[in-house]
Amino acid sequence: MKNDLLENLNKPQKKVVTSTDGPLLVVAGPGSGKTRTITHRIAYLIENNHCSSENIIAMTFTNKAAEEMKNRLSFLIKPNKQNKINASTFHSFCAKTLRIYGNHIKINSNFTIYDDLDQLALIKQIAKELEIDPKKFPPKAFVSNISAAKSKLQTYEYIAANTENYFDELFSRIYKKYTLKLSQLNSLDFDDLLIKTCTLLEETSILKDKFSQQYKYIMVDEFQDTNLVQYKIAKLLSSYNRNLCVVGDPDQSIYSWRNADIQNIIKFQKDFPDAKKISLSENYRSSSIILSAAKNLIEVNTLRIKNELWTKNNSGDPIILKEGFNQDDEAKFVINEIKKLLAKNTPLNQIAIMYRTNAQSRAIENACLKYGVPYQIIGGLKFYRRQEIKDITSYLRVINNPNDDISLLRIINIPPKGIGNKTIDRIKRIAELTNTSIYSALELLISDNKQIELELNNISKTQKKSFKEILDKFSKLRSELDNLNLLEIIDLTLELFSYEKYIKNTLDNPEEKWENLKEFKISAQEFTTENTNASLNEFLENISLVSDVDSMEEKISKITLITLHQSKGLEYNTVFIIGLEEGLLPHSRSLDNTEQIEEERRLFYVGMTRAKRNLFLTRSFKHGLWGETRINIPSRFLKEIPRKYIDNNIKSKEHNTPSQIKLQPHINKVENTIKFKVGDKIIHPKFGEGIIVSLTPAQEDVQATIAFSNNTGIKSLLLSLSKIKKSTK
């Protein structure tokens, strides 16, 4: 078996597999056989008696990647040694750990996991209680700031002690109340899963010793996408044996907006100075032209670990570069080329169209519908976010955790029971005054507590009856948890709350919504089959941790529409990357920040290296962007691809475009004006002092919107012509 596991591996891959002791850093370029190498290393450790499968844990970033790893290992490891393969996402590992051991840090095992929609709902509720204007201070900003703070292990106390402005002060108040509310509601958000596990391991030495001794080998995939907390967890788990293997590629670090820290690779080398470093440089995926073009692009970046990628693959076809007149023309070209590929028997599921932002899919979707090309869109409305699915999930979450206010408030008037917003606000007030959950407030309400009734201003008997009926139904369902299986609980829930009748009599597209609920029941049935004696708690945890990419269907005969961020880890015979314009890729938010420009370049690099055989790069001469139609300049990244790899002379009678993209070097006025950024104080020779409030690409220039301090007001000026200077005041 030892020799079998090393067969057909290249020299660096063999070195990774057989490096069994001590810390190990693997720099794995795109298409370098990373997953194959990791799985063979795990199998090698087990088959050569270094340890059993229970002593290894592999951390991935999607459930899909974890399942793929398990499937591959099932073929590599002898059946008698396949006890339990610990491959999971960080969040799944942490959720399961807290279910079992969370009581050590006062976490109840039936906690609810809040997704971003639940978070947003709770933040909106808190902002309303604190009388914070959502128009001036958008709740989404608080959600992202909370996540950023948690990823750096910054508590609300830390934020409160380091406020610099009014927003910081509001944020610290929101953050504090959000933290206390989550605890009160017996709920954790995704960041909490990581933080609480880290706290558990740090504060409970018995558990840290137990885990670090149990897991003799720890492997972390996509290490460049880890944040500070994830890295700390990995270090804590490896504290006893020090056999920590991290696999990553700084050139594919594209999740700083999720608080991923590219510096973790540097930190790893400092924390483990004795670590071996092995580079996987041979690419098995892409043609040599695609790989060489991508390599030239990424070498422009300065923040990277050098990895000399190469391939034995054929040169392949040149990269096709196309300019459409507008987005619709660009989309028409893409569909036309797809039809040519189909005529050559290219499978639909081997074609992907990638873009920087979800909004860019509109023109492509319209073209697919118009010309009859079947497609699946990744990043649209997730199955578990659909109205009817969110409703039934909320019912189940309240059964599991009565303190889950967000779920209860969602379905308290579904189906309609005459419970209006004013009544709900009164109940929230009772919960706040009594420092309890909404569920407990309802229990107080129906108990004929005179003080409560006074506060509620004599709530109607009809409403009180409705609340009693709701609580009775939940009580019955909770009492049946030990008697009924998961599917029976779902059926009983739908029956008690008359949800089928509600769908058919009240909602649009009732047949589609009921079919979605049937699909939900199938997923519950499958989960029960795969997990014997599965609890409601476990099922809810499972669906909370499902990502878009996890649920995508790769075998169906459809092209894939997907954002560049979501394309990580995937591969296709043919890839179209659309919208290659300044302001889109790179995104407008990155134009005045060198580090962000480098991340945008890495994002483009990731997209390019998803392609095996054919790569199409497209843009439009005119583009609708943020509600305006304007002429946009080509992305600066196009100039960083050597012309020898590109064919930009593709002809099509169906497309009437002003010109093909010219790649000859030219002066880019955007780069000449990049010294200015939003918020800069400036001086204009005519209008005087002002502040830059926005910067927008405009042809081969940048349009600055400036608020002047005198009676001049707001002016829009082209930076190359404006003769403005930064103020030294």
Side-chain angles (χ1 to χ4, degrees), residues 285-388:
R285 178 187 298 150
S286 304
S287 69
S288 66
I289 281 180
I290 292 172
L291 187 65
S292 297
K295 184 181 170 187
N296 275 270
L297 170 86
I298 202 62
E299 284 177 347
V300 177
N301 276 1
T302 56
L303 190 63
R304 60 191 300 266
I305 295 176
K306 198 171 181 180
N307 189 8
E308 293 293 337
L309 288 175
W310 61 280
T311 185
K312 295 177 184 176
N313 294 340
N314 296 330
S315 60
D317 296 329
I319 297 167
I320 300 297
L321 187 59
K322 174 69 178 180
E323 179 187 77
F325 181 70
N326 54 30
Q327 292 155 282
D328 293 334
D329 190 50
E330 182 183 14
K332 190 176 178 183
F333 165 77
V334 170
I335 298 302
N336 188 60
E337 292 303 310
I338 287 173
K339 289 199 167 185
K340 291 178 185 176
L341 290 165
L342 296 179
K344 298 177 183 177
N345 297 318
T346 301
L348 278 167
N349 61 2
Q350 281 298 311
I351 301 171
I353 304 171
M354 300 178 184
Y355 34 80
R356 176 62 175 84
T357 64
N358 278 307
Q360 292 172 257
S361 70
R362 180 201 57 81
I364 295 292
E365 285 189 79
N366 288 347
C368 286
L369 292 168
K370 184 176 180 180
Y371 298 105
V373 177
Y375 69 94
Q376 62 170 336
I377 184 164
I378 310 302
L381 190 61
K382 298 179 183 179
F383 177 78
Y384 291 108
R385 294 189 173 204
R386 292 169 185 170
Q387 177 186 350
E388 62 280 9

Side-chain angles (χ1 to χ4, degrees), residues 443-455 464:
E443 288 180 322
L444 285 172
L445 172 63
I446 65 173
S447 68
D448 293 323
N449 185 302
K450 290 184 179 180
Q451 184 180 351
I452 299 297
E453 284 196 16
L454 185 65
E455 179 67 35
K464 187 181 285 191

Side-chain angles (χ1 to χ4, degrees), residues 20-128:
T20 57
D21 296 315
L24 175 64
L25 169 63
V26 181
V27 181
S32 60
K34 175 189 65 176
T35 304
R36 187 165 187 262
T37 305
I38 293 172
T39 51
H40 276 248
R41 184 173 192 260
I42 294 171
Y44 184 91
L45 290 167
I46 295 169
E47 291 292 343
N48 290 279
N49 299 317
H50 289 275
C51 64
S52 68
S53 57
E54 293 96 336
N55 301 128
I56 303 173
I57 184 166
M59 299 290 198
T60 67
F61 272 78
T62 65
N63 294 307
K64 181 175 175 290
E67 286 305 311
E68 182 183 355
M69 197 174 287
K70 289 177 184 177
N71 289 335
R72 292 195 187 197
L73 286 167
S74 66
F75 292 102
L76 294 173
I77 304 171
K78 293 174 183 175
N80 64 323
K81 294 188 176 183
Q82 291 183 24
N83 297 326
K84 184 182 179 183
I85 300 196
N86 296 299
S88 71
T89 64
F90 270 98
H91 290 98
S92 292
F93 168 78
C94 291
K96 286 177 172 59
T97 300
L98 292 173
R99 295 281 185 210
I100 301 170
Y101 302 106
N103 61 300
H104 289 273
I105 52 173
K106 299 180 179 179
I107 292 175
N108 196 313
S109 63
N110 70 331
F111 61 82
T112 299
I113 300 172
Y114 275 13
D115 63 19
D116 55 347
L117 291 182
D118 301 317
Q119 282 180 279
L120 186 59
L122 183 55
I123 292 292
K124 284 179 177 178
Q125 180 182 314
I126 292 169
K128 188 176 180 180

Side-chain angles (χ1 to χ4, degrees), residues 119-272:
Q119 282 180 279
L120 186 59
L122 183 55
I123 292 292
K124 284 179 177 178
Q125 180 182 314
I126 292 169
K128 188 176 180 180
E129 292 171 4
L130 296 175
E131 298 181 342
I132 296 172
D133 188 346
K135 292 181 180 178
K136 291 182 180 177
F137 303 99
K140 282 187 177 179
F142 292 123
V143 172
S144 62
N145 277 316
I146 287 172
S147 182
K150 287 185 175 183
S151 72
K152 299 171 187 172
L153 295 172
Q154 295 173 348
T155 62
Y156 65 81
E157 293 97 339
Y158 174 88
I159 299 296
N162 293 275
T163 56
E164 295 182 356
N165 50 49
Y166 183 55
F167 177 85
D168 288 349
E169 185 185 331
L170 288 181
F171 171 53
S172 69
R173 291 165 61 196
I174 287 266
Y175 188 8
K176 179 180 181 179
K177 195 154 188 176
Y178 175 78
T179 303
L180 298 175
K181 276 277 189 183
L182 280 181
S183 178
Q184 180 186 316
L185 305 177
N186 188 29
S187 299
L188 303 175
D189 61 27
F190 282 94
D191 294 303
D192 286 333
L193 294 176
L194 303 175
I195 290 171
K196 299 297 184 184
T197 302
C198 192
T199 302
L200 178 68
L201 295 174
E202 285 183 319
E203 295 184 359
T204 316
S205 57
I206 294 174
L207 286 178
K208 188 194 81 169
D209 293 343
K210 171 185 166 69
F211 278 110
S212 64
Q213 290 176 35
Q214 177 187 343
Y215 296 124
K216 191 175 178 181
Y217 293 92
I218 295 95
M219 277 171 266
V220 180
D221 194 12
E222 304 290 1
F223 185 64
Q224 76 281 345
D225 295 330
T226 55
N227 62 23
L228 172 64
V229 188
Q230 289 165 322
Y231 180 39
K232 283 191 74 171
I233 291 170
K235 283 203 298 181
L236 287 163
L237 292 176
S238 62
S239 58
Y240 185 81
N241 290 294
R242 295 185 77 251
N243 294 325
L244 175 58
C245 170
V246 299
V247 185
D249 181 9
D251 288 339
Q252 297 185 72
S253 178
I254 58 175
Y255 292 121
S256 66
W257 54 280
R258 289 185 186 170
N259 307 305
D261 190 350
I262 193 173
Q263 294 294 333
N264 277 350
I265 289 180
I266 309 300
K267 291 175 186 171
F268 176 84
Q269 292 174 296
K270 289 180 179 178
D271 293 339
F272 299 93

